[in-house]
Amino acid sequence: MRFSLRIFLGFFFLVSIAAAYGVWLIREELKPGVRQASEDVVVDTSHLFAEFLSPQMSADVIPNQAAFLSLFQAYKDRQPKAQVWSVPKNKVELRMYVTNAKGIVVLDSTGQFIGQDFSQWRDVKLTLEGKYGVRTSLRDPKNSLSSEMYVAAPIYHNQHTKQIVGVVTVIKPNGGMEPYIQHAKNKLAWAGVYLIVACLFLGAIFSWALSHAISKLTHYAEQVSRGKQQAAPKFWANRELNSLAQALDKMRSELDGQVYIEQTLHSFTHELKSPLTGIRGAAEVLVEPLEPDQVRHFSNLILAEVERLQLIVDRLLELARLENRQDLQLEKMAVVDLISPLLQALSLQMTGRHLVVDVAENLLIRCEPFLLGQALRNLLQNAIDFTPPGQKIVIQVKPDSSHKKVIFNIHNFGTAIPEYAKDRLFERFYSLPSPHRKGKGSGLGLVLSQTIAQLHDGHLSIHNHVDGGVLATLEIPL
């Protein structure tokens, strides 16, 4: 199982458990909460009726039961047509009975309990004792859904003496609250569904973000393992991953430094063997008595090998400086102004070769002029070295089809690249012998040009042309 999928499932499981528990807890507290709110209203109603009945009960006058029944019948006939929080209410449900100070029923909204002794019912008994009287009872013992709430209030002789002369009990069927409870439960259920969907969505985003970050780190590690220059990924929203990326980049830099030193030293010492051997051989010969011409010959040999050593050292130092560059000093300039100085500087070496230059007019590029000029000079120098007199060199500069890059093409009609050398052109210190150049090159010119191209986010390629000769293509973003 993929790591990101494990993270997603773990996140979803934990959040879903928390959400399910929250929904269950609210559902469990929903019914008691609704009934408590309803009880609060019934308490107010019972005390209001108690105040209405207080004058009659204080005068020992029994209220007219017929008038009372008539009043409640008119109340029952009402149709509120109310919309209570999206739940329609089309009938009223309150009932009521009144007892005297002994608990005997003197008024009843149903007319069934007149004269009965209710003094032992909890609502009446506790109220007559000066306590809060309330009870819940089943109207039909066989039906568990027929429970009703009985809330009583004392009827005082007057407010000063607090003498209780009767009790009024208001009855509220609990079944009347069921539509509101069910409505709230339905909304809560949908809320739970939405919450789970949201958890799925957030979990997917979270796992994708983590998986994407790990993929970026993996890609970075793969690119580094292949020896490619790759900037460490940055994670601004995640300090830990950003610290890990920086640590990996630091480790890569240190390892690259060690490998670079080992490879460079190995190649450098191997490359130095040839000129050092020549110098040593010439020096050993010069120890012996020689003719002036021989002395001159071997002295020139030593000077040539020393110049080659100097060229290798200078190029190697130049390459090391380039590889340590992190940014460029970019300038906007015309391509013509970049090419013209190169052609002037190399004009003497081009003697006997036909030069064709095709540069798009008004073509601008952002680059570090000195470095890009150096890269082009190396490529042009190579073209000159491998082009025999009488042949031509074609320089073509144009934008690509998408107008996002400038393409420098340098095509020489000289010797083609041998098959065995095609994969080694950008290898350090590797150099092909040129029939038109004295001595061997440093083998670092193409490496320098490639490094400069990479610093400009560009690309350098060299291959045999179908029409003969070799084509060097340098692509630089506009």
Side-chain angles (χ1 to χ4, degrees), residues 9-246:
L9 292 176
F11 177 84
F12 175 69
F13 176 75
L14 291 176
V15 175
S16 297
I17 290 294
Y21 176 73
V23 171
W24 173 83
L25 188 62
I26 294 173
R27 283 177 65 92
E28 288 298 308
E29 292 296 323
L30 189 61
K31 181 178 286 188
V34 171
R35 289 189 175 181
Q36 287 167 9
S38 181
E39 182 178 339
D40 180 78
V41 175
V42 176
V43 168
D44 290 348
T45 304
S46 62
H47 279 268
L48 179 62
F49 275 112
E51 285 301 316
F52 276 122
L53 293 170
S54 177
Q56 299 180 57
M57 298 293 289
S58 299
D60 291 332
V61 177
I62 298 177
N64 189 313
Q65 174 65 21
F68 186 72
L69 284 174
S70 176
L71 177 66
F72 256 87
Q73 186 59 49
Y75 161 74
K76 289 180 181 180
D77 291 340
R78 281 182 170 268
Q79 295 180 351
K81 297 181 181 179
Q83 198 77 10
V84 184
W85 292 91
S86 302
V87 177
K89 181 176 176 64
N90 295 315
K91 65 177 181 178
V92 292
E93 301 171 306
L94 292 181
R95 303 198 318 278
M96 186 177 73
Y97 59 76
V98 180
T99 71
N100 58 21
K102 295 180 180 180
I104 304 300
V105 177
V106 294
L107 288 176
D108 177 25
S109 60
T110 64
Q112 299 177 10
F113 307 112
I114 299 296
Q116 293 188 22
D117 185 0
F118 277 17
S119 62
Q120 295 307 309
W121 285 110
R122 181 181 176 82
D123 55 313
V124 177
K125 184 175 184 298
L126 291 177
T127 303
L128 290 175
E129 293 174 358
K131 301 176 184 178
Y132 174 47
V134 64
R135 67 181 169 97
T136 298
S137 301
L138 292 175
R139 190 172 187 179
D140 180 0
K142 297 180 180 179
N143 185 1
S144 60
L145 299 178
S146 65
S147 66
E148 296 178 319
M149 182 190 311
Y150 293 73
V151 179
I155 302 173
Y156 296 119
H157 178 70
N158 59 64
Q159 289 293 335
H160 299 291
T161 61
K162 297 295 182 183
Q163 178 185 354
I164 297 175
V165 294
V167 174
V168 56
T169 295
V170 177
I171 306 163
K172 169 72 174 174
N174 289 325
M177 292 173 272
E178 202 59 34
Y180 305 101
I181 294 172
Q182 196 58 46
H183 178 71
K185 283 184 176 181
N186 291 338
K187 292 187 70 174
L188 193 60
W190 278 111
V193 172
Y194 294 146
L195 185 59
I196 291 175
V197 171
C199 290
L200 277 170
F201 181 71
L202 291 175
I205 291 178
F206 174 75
S207 60
W208 175 85
L210 184 60
S211 177
H212 181 64
I214 293 173
S215 297
K216 288 175 71 174
L217 286 172
T218 303
H219 176 72
Y220 169 70
E222 289 174 349
Q223 294 297 96
V224 169
S225 66
R226 292 171 186 168
K228 295 184 179 180
Q229 293 292 333
Q230 182 83 9
K234 293 182 179 180
F235 309 96
W236 300 112
N238 194 313
R239 286 186 178 183
E240 290 78 9
L241 286 176
N242 201 42
S243 298
L244 176 60
Q246 291 175 355

Side-chain angles (χ1 to χ4, degrees), residues 378-396:
N378 290 336
L379 297 177
L380 192 52
Q381 184 68 62
N382 269 7
I384 295 170
D385 290 342
F386 286 90
T387 301
Q391 294 295 332
K392 66 179 179 180
I393 298 174
V394 178
I395 300 175
Q396 185 186 49

Side-chain angles (χ1 to χ4, degrees), residues 365-405:
I365 188 173
R366 285 181 61 83
C367 66
E368 187 165 320
F370 175 76
L371 287 183
L372 189 55
Q374 195 173 21
L376 292 171
R377 180 169 184 149
N378 290 336
L379 297 177
L380 192 52
Q381 184 68 62
N382 269 7
I384 295 170
D385 290 342
F386 286 90
T387 301
Q391 294 295 332
K392 66 179 179 180
I393 298 174
V394 178
I395 300 175
Q396 185 186 49
V397 186
K398 61 180 181 179
D400 70 338
S401 58
S402 63
H403 290 274
K404 293 182 179 180
K405 297 178 182 178

